[in-house]
Structures are given as structure tokens and as C-alpha cells.
Amino acid sequence: MAIPYLLIEKIGEDGTHLRKGRDHYASKGIRVLRDRVVRVDAGARRVHLANGGAADYDRLLVATGSHPLKPPVPGVELEGVHTCWTLADARHIIRQARTGANVVLIGAGFVGCIVLEALALRGVKLTVLEMGDRMVPRMMNHAAGQMIRRWCETKGVTVHTSTRVAEIRPGSGGHALAVVLADGRALAADLVVSAAGVAPNADFLVGTGVELERGILVDHHLESNVPGIYAAGDVAQGRDFSSGGFEVHAIQPTASEHGRIAALNMAGIATEYRGSFNMNVLDTLGLISSSFGLWMGVDGGESVELHDPERYRYLELQFAGERLVGATAIGLTQHVGVLRGLIQGRIDLGPWKAKLMREPMRVMEAYLARVGTAKAA
């Protein structure tokens, strides 16, 4: 999360450390083993370590996070192709992303757009490739995603959507690499950065009986189907607040809340998790965008849209009955938190539903009116 700030030199490497003191864990009575778990014996409640040792547990929290996926194309392992995940990645990028360098970024999702900003601010000649038909396709609808694209292009970034990479090969003419597209075009590159998505680190649990889908399936207490084994963060597939289904929400607020709830339950304090809330807020070269809840809408629902492409302003509200269930906003920073409050509070809008369908910018008035009504009731 801190690497983009390192790339634009707002912080040094020590600024990426979550804990500053060397005795942080010891001072809190926490024993840290720097090793890798290779196998979990759920029956014996024991983890086996790569160095040959083992550790017994009463309760086990799996918070192993995720790892970056590389696009399945020939040449992705060539020198000069990097993810943006570790300090080692950041050091390589800093050396190669010099002012004026040709940089190709594969992926314009949430993480990709954060990396995009850092690379652009380094003064490189940046080209972004996205397989989807718009930028941040898992966060924005077509109109909003295209608005972000146009904004980036005004800032000197070249963006290609609906574009697949066929091959990465050694370059020529003084450039280290060439990125070959499915249509045969070749882009000269001094550096290629891949932001093609992530996957949970859960392979070591195969064969343990722990139920896995896109992550570790957990219940309302963040416990897996195997008693005593809990999961939190990017590796956990937990209840989704809006849909009631089970999703992996690889965002920091979800990870923090997962950790808190799992810790309470592991300590014997029964605490129910309400479900992760789909919430993304992105700053792309100064343009703020956000999406909340079921931003894509629901079957049988209604929606209203304000679209001002000249001013880079956009707002879409999604309704299910008398409740707001999702929202997308661009260029709006005031009262955006109210959108979350209306959705997460499951506020019955009553007569304000019709008012918002006519004037969607009145969300703050709706919130004040209906939350006050709910409290009075």
C-alpha cells in the first residue's frame, strides 16, 4: 500500500514499515517466527514449518494475504517485467522508471490505477493496457470508467482498453522490451509493470479439510468450516454485507475489521461480523472516484444518473425498493460518506426516494431527514 508513495519520493523505505520499533512485538508479549508454513495438521492442531520445526495451536488465524497474478503471456518472466508488490519490486521500478522512459502498465484496475498515478508523476511516457472495455471495470460502470480514461489522457497518459497482450519479447532500438498486442502492434518499453490482479495465499491449506473457493470460506465469526481455524484479510472469503453472498474484498478496511472480529472470537468473546462492505475510493491524477455497495445495480431495481463529462462530474444512484443499495461518483468529494451511510444503514428513504430520483445531489438532505426519522422511531 505504501509503495506508490515510495515511487514518488514522498517517503523513504522506512516509511513503508508498519512497525517502527525493533522491540514492538516483544514488548507486547508476541513471539515472532520468521519461517514458512508448509502444512497444517488440523487434527493435531499443529503447523509444520519449512525449517523442519512445528508449532502447536489452540486457535489458528490465517492472514497470509494475497500475491500478484502475472498475465499468462510468453515473456512475462523477462528481466524488466515487474509487479508492484514488494520493496524489491519498488527498487527495480525506481531504477528503470526514469523521466522520459517508455513504461507499459498492464492492468487498469484499482491497484493498477494507484500504480498509474505514481508512474505518471515520475515523468515517464506511460501506456496503460486494460483487457476490459473501460478503466477500473470492477469499480466503475462504462460511463464512469470512460470518464477516468479521458481524464488520464488529458494528463498525457496513453490508455488502451479492450486490449490483450499476446507476448513480451526483447526489444530493439535501445529499448529493453517490446510488448506485442493481440492485433500485432508492438510497443517499445524500457519497463513493463504488471497489475493484473491478485489471488489469495491459501495453497498450503489444500488437503486440510478447510473449504476453499476464491479464498477461505468463513462464517459470521470469521471461522472456517474446520473448528479452530480462522481467516482474515485478502485470504478470507466472507459474508458480503450487500448481497449476502461470500466474497473476497481485498481492501484495507475489510482486512482491519476482519482482524478485529477474528481476534475477539479467538479470545472467546463471541462477536458477529456484519459482512464486508464493497467500498472503493480512488485518486487518479487528481480525479477522485468512488463506488459503494451494489454499484452495478440489482435485478428489478431503479437508478438515476447525473453525467457532466465536460466538468468530469458523475453520480449514479442504485435503488432496491425504497433503499439506496449502490452508488458511483466521480469528481464529487463533499457528502460522499453519506452515500455509504445510507447504504450501510439500510435506511428506508420513504418520500425521499422519489426526490432523489429527480435530484440525486440531495443525498445529504435525504440522510439527515431519514436518519432522524429512524432514530425517532
Side-chain angles (χ1 to χ4, degrees):
M1 289 165 51
I3 285 177
Y5 301 101
L6 177 63
L7 295 180
I8 60 174
E9 300 178 359
K10 280 193 173 182
I11 59 173
E13 286 196 4
D14 60 343
T16 67
H17 302 163
L18 291 177
R19 307 302 179 198
K20 309 301 183 183
R22 291 185 178 275
D23 65 343
H24 172 83
Y25 293 104
S27 69
K28 298 183 180 301
I30 300 170
R31 180 187 178 209
V32 177
L33 294 177
R34 299 198 177 276
D35 208 328
R36 183 178 295 275
V37 174
V38 294
R39 185 168 64 89
V40 176
D41 185 339
R45 297 206 174 201
R46 179 175 298 145
V47 295
H48 294 268
L49 308 175
N51 70 2
D56 295 330
Y57 66 86
D58 296 306
R59 284 166 291 279
L60 175 68
L61 176 65
V62 181
T64 47
S66 52
H67 61 274
L69 295 173
K70 291 186 177 180
V73 299
V76 74
E77 301 297 338
L78 286 172
E79 185 178 350
V81 181
H82 299 284
T83 57
C84 190
W85 204 252
T86 66
L87 278 177
D89 291 332
R91 292 170 188 141
H92 285 297
I93 292 170
I94 287 169
R95 282 197 298 269
Q96 295 169 292
R98 300 176 299 276
T99 300
N102 283 12
V103 178
V104 174
L105 173 64
I106 301 174
F110 184 78
V111 172
C113 283
I114 294 173
V115 177
L116 178 159
E117 179 174 62
L119 290 171
L121 292 176
R122 289 186 64 84
V124 304
K125 297 176 182 177
L126 181 60
T127 299
V128 180
L129 308 176
E130 167 58 42
M131 289 193 305
D133 65 352
R134 60 193 186 275
M135 295 184 71
V136 277
R138 297 185 66 183
M139 172 182 164
M140 293 278 137
N141 62 25
H142 189 270
Q146 289 296 81
M147 184 177 288
I148 295 173
R149 173 182 177 168
R150 289 195 303 105
W151 174 268
C152 290
E153 290 173 337
T154 67
K155 302 298 180 180
V157 178
T158 300
V159 180
H160 298 288
T161 55
S162 301
T163 301
R164 291 182 177 272
V165 176
E167 179 188 6
I168 303 172
R169 64 192 184 201
S172 60
H175 298 288
L177 300 164
V179 179
V180 182
L181 307 183
D183 62 8
R185 287 178 293 165
L187 307 176
D190 301 303
L191 167 70
V192 176
V193 178
S194 173
V198 300
N201 295 319
D203 288 349
F204 68 97
L205 291 171
V206 173
T208 61
V210 172
E211 192 172 356
L212 303 171
E213 286 186 359
R214 292 180 299 279
I216 301 169
L217 282 165
V218 291
D219 63 15
H220 280 308
H221 297 94
L222 281 301
E223 190 173 21
S224 74
N225 64 305
V226 175
I229 298 182
Y230 296 74
D234 290 12
V235 77
Q237 185 178 343
R239 185 74 69 178
D240 180 279
F241 171 85
S242 297
S243 70
F246 290 84
E247 303 291 343
V248 174
H249 284 163
I251 57 176
Q252 189 271 341
T254 294
S256 296
E257 186 66 357
H258 274 184
R260 186 180 73 85
I261 299 295
L264 288 167
N265 285 298
M266 292 171 73
I269 304 170
T271 307
E272 188 169 295
Y273 182 55
R274 295 181 65 200
S276 57
F277 183 66
N278 187 20
M279 174 182 66
N280 293 288
V281 179
L282 184 64
D283 182 349
T284 310
L285 296 170
L287 183 66
I288 307 299
S289 57
S290 57
S291 64
F292 302 93
L294 300 172
W295 58 267
M296 71 297 293
V298 297
D299 291 341
E302 297 177 272
S303 66
V304 60
E305 178 185 61
L306 284 180
H307 191 189
D308 187 350
E310 298 304 316
R311 297 176 60 235
Y312 292 96
R313 297 290 186 271
Y314 183 84
L315 177 63
E316 183 182 61
L317 305 180
Q318 296 283 352
F319 300 92
E322 300 302 306
R323 292 177 177 172
L324 183 69
V325 295
T328 302
I330 293 180
L332 303 172
T333 55
Q334 285 189 322
H335 311 323
V336 172
V338 167
L339 297 173
R340 175 183 178 179
L342 286 171
I343 299 168
Q344 209 164 12
R346 294 192 167 112
I347 304 300
D348 188 326
L349 291 166
W352 276 93
K353 182 343 189 18
K355 294 177 183 179
L356 289 177
M357 289 291 290
R358 293 192 300 270
E359 301 176 83
M361 288 294 291
R362 298 181 68 184
V363 288
M364 175 57 85
E365 294 175 69
Y367 181 82
L368 293 174
R370 299 308 295 173
V371 169
T373 300
K375 288 182 177 177

